[in-house]
Amino acid sequence: MKHWRRGDYYSGPREPRWMVSDWRGRRGLWAPPAGYYWMQSGGQYLLMAAATGLIAGVVAATVGSAAPAYPTAPGYVPPY
């Protein structure tokens, strides 16, 4: 599993189904600025620029809730 860092460019799937639309219900996430969105990749939440894929922030998915209500990125194995 890749460990993403701020400043990396995300090269995986960027389909709307991987986007985190309920970021308010995820502890550790904050409102994405205009032009950015949260998505989950493996054990990390990534704050990404929609136009370029530049990662502006990374939060461990274990900080969020244990049972996501949306599909997770391929290769994600829940921690429970």
Side-chain angles (χ1 to χ4, degrees):
M1 169 174 38
K2 170 117 172 116
H3 291 280
W4 299 100
R5 288 188 250 165
R6 184 178 178 187
D8 287 346
Y9 283 90
Y10 181 74
S11 58
R14 292 174 55 186
E15 301 165 13
R17 65 182 172 170
W18 307 125
M19 293 180 189
V20 177
S21 59
D22 62 342
W23 57 267
R24 286 179 186 88
R26 311 278 169 191
R27 194 172 61 238
L29 302 188
W30 56 91
Y36 288 78
Y37 63 90
W38 285 105
M39 75 164 275
Q40 186 169 358
S41 176
Q44 297 174 303
Y45 290 114
L46 309 176
L47 179 61
M48 292 188 358
T52 64
L54 177 68
I55 298 172
V58 179
V59 175
T62 54
V63 171
S65 62
Y70 56 89
T72 55
Y76 175 70
V77 179
Y80 48 89

